């Protein structure tokens, strides 16, 4: 049931989300991810772990179907594909200024500034919000988030692009404020790995 004042209610919820993530020091969780191709109908399923530490350190590690590490560190972003022996380095701004999945899951998405927020009621015991970008991009024209009604922390995110493709991530075994070391969010390419450095050109 969508409330008549869903816009105002949505804004109140987003304020609570912001407050919770501002006081949250860290979290870690398992995740499942489904990437659906609208044209072919194919669904790619992934599984792994995610860890977050304030202010914006993220370690997103996929273990199935292939190993992949996405690490947002203090000075750069690394994407490491161990089987291909390739590591790609990106500038921080490129990831943190874009409407990417990790911005949502880490509570760094600017909900009130960037989106029109509508309350969609409850679904599966979680609060469901529809987020419509004020300035849609081909990579994101609609988003949905599901929140724990007690903690106001995000438990699931679904992103929809211009072509109808969807990217949904569900968190499980969420652990709040675990003790994490900064070394957990640093990366040094192993010997023999090809490094593609995109920070030099700022691309």
């Amino acid at each position: 049931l969508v409330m008549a004042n869903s816009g105002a209610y949505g804004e109140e919820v987003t304020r609570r989300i912001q407050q919770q993530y501002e006081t949250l020091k860290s979290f870690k969780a398992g995740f499942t991810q489904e990437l659906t191709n609208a044209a072919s109908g194919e669904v790619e399923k992934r599984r792994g772990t995610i860890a977050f530490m304030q202010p914006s350190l993220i370690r997103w590690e996929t273990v199935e179907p292939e190993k992949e590490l996405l690490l947002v560190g203090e000075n750069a972003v690394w994407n490491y594909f161990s089987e291909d022996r390739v590591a790609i380095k990106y500038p921080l701004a490129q990831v943190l200024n874009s409407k990417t999945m990790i911005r949502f899951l880490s509570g760094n998405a600017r909900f009130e500034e960037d989106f029109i927020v509508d309350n969609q009621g409850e679904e599966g015991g979680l609060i469901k919000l529809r987020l419509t970008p004020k300035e849609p991009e081909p990579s994101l024209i609609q988003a949905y988030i599901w929140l724990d009604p007690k903690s106001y922390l995000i438990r699931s995110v679904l992103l929809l692009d211009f072509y109808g493709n969807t990217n949904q991530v569900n968190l499980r075994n969420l652990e709040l404020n675990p003790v994490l070391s900064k070394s957990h969010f640093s990366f040094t390419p192993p010997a023999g790995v090809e490094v593609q450095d995109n920070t030099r050109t700022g691309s």
Side-chain angles (χ1 to χ4, degrees), residues 1 6 11 15 19 23 45 70 77 169 179 188 200:
L1 178 65
S6 61
E11 291 178 4
R15 279 194 288 272
Q19 289 173 357
T23 59
K45 296 184 178 183
L70 180 63
V77 176
V169 170
V179 177
T188 301
R200 297 175 182 175

Side-chain angles (χ1 to χ4, degrees), residues 10-71:
E11 291 178 4
E12 172 61 24
V13 172
T14 57
R15 279 194 288 272
R16 293 190 184 186
I17 297 170
Q18 213 65 47
Q19 289 173 357
Q20 285 295 79
Y21 278 94
E22 285 173 0
T23 59
L24 185 68
K25 295 179 181 179
S26 61
F27 76 78
K28 62 181 180 179
F31 75 82
T32 56
Q33 182 178 26
E34 289 193 359
L35 301 163
T36 303
N37 185 298
S40 67
E42 292 182 358
V43 179
E44 179 184 346
K45 296 184 178 183
R46 299 179 180 179
R47 184 179 65 84
T49 60
I50 181 172
F52 166 78
M53 189 167 76
Q54 291 282 17
S56 57
L57 302 176
I58 299 165
R59 184 184 182 94
W60 172 287
E61 200 159 4
T62 301
V63 295
E64 290 181 358
E66 295 177 354
K67 291 184 178 181
E68 178 184 347
L69 173 64
L70 180 63
L71 190 140

Side-chain angles (χ1 to χ4, degrees), residues 5-202:
N5 63 339
S6 61
Y9 182 82
E11 291 178 4
E12 172 61 24
V13 172
T14 57
R15 279 194 288 272
R16 293 190 184 186
I17 297 170
Q18 213 65 47
Q19 289 173 357
Q20 285 295 79
Y21 278 94
E22 285 173 0
T23 59
L24 185 68
K25 295 179 181 179
S26 61
F27 76 78
K28 62 181 180 179
F31 75 82
T32 56
Q33 182 178 26
E34 289 193 359
L35 301 163
T36 303
N37 185 298
S40 67
E42 292 182 358
V43 179
E44 179 184 346
K45 296 184 178 183
R46 299 179 180 179
R47 184 179 65 84
T49 60
I50 181 172
F52 166 78
M53 189 167 76
Q54 291 282 17
S56 57
L57 302 176
I58 299 165
R59 184 184 182 94
W60 172 287
E61 200 159 4
T62 301
V63 295
E64 290 181 358
E66 295 177 354
K67 291 184 178 181
E68 178 184 347
L69 173 64
L70 180 63
L71 190 140
V72 181
E74 290 185 290
N75 303 307
V77 176
W78 285 97
N79 204 183
Y80 175 48
F81 304 88
S82 58
E83 293 182 10
D84 296 331
R85 307 286 292 170
V86 173
I88 308 171
K89 187 179 183 182
Y90 299 97
L92 275 176
Q94 183 172 327
V95 170
L96 296 182
N97 292 340
S98 63
K99 300 183 181 74
T100 59
M101 178 63 76
I102 56 176
R103 277 183 60 81
F104 284 91
L105 293 176
S106 63
N108 283 317
R110 299 177 302 181
F111 296 113
E112 293 182 38
E113 292 89 343
D114 293 342
F115 299 94
I116 298 169
V117 182
D118 292 307
N119 174 40
Q120 301 282 289
E122 279 203 9
E123 187 174 282
L126 300 174
I127 299 171
K128 181 181 180 182
L129 299 181
R130 179 179 65 194
L131 307 176
T132 304
K134 294 178 180 178
E135 296 182 8
E137 303 171 359
S139 61
L140 182 61
I141 63 167
Q142 194 79 72
Y144 293 89
I145 60 174
W146 288 261
L147 306 164
D148 185 311
K150 294 181 180 179
S151 67
Y152 286 91
L153 296 175
I154 295 172
R155 302 305 296 266
S156 182
V157 179
L158 187 147
L159 306 182
L160 174 70
D161 72 13
F162 175 78
Y163 302 100
N165 305 313
T166 60
N167 177 5
Q168 181 163 9
V169 170
N170 302 311
L171 298 184
R172 52 184 175 76
N173 302 325
L174 184 62
E175 183 181 343
L176 304 182
N177 298 317
V179 177
L180 299 174
S181 168
K182 279 192 176 182
S183 63
H184 192 57
F185 302 93
S186 63
F187 176 78
T188 301
V193 167
E194 176 190 349
V195 176
Q196 300 175 13
D197 191 346
N198 292 329
T199 62
R200 297 175 182 175
T201 60

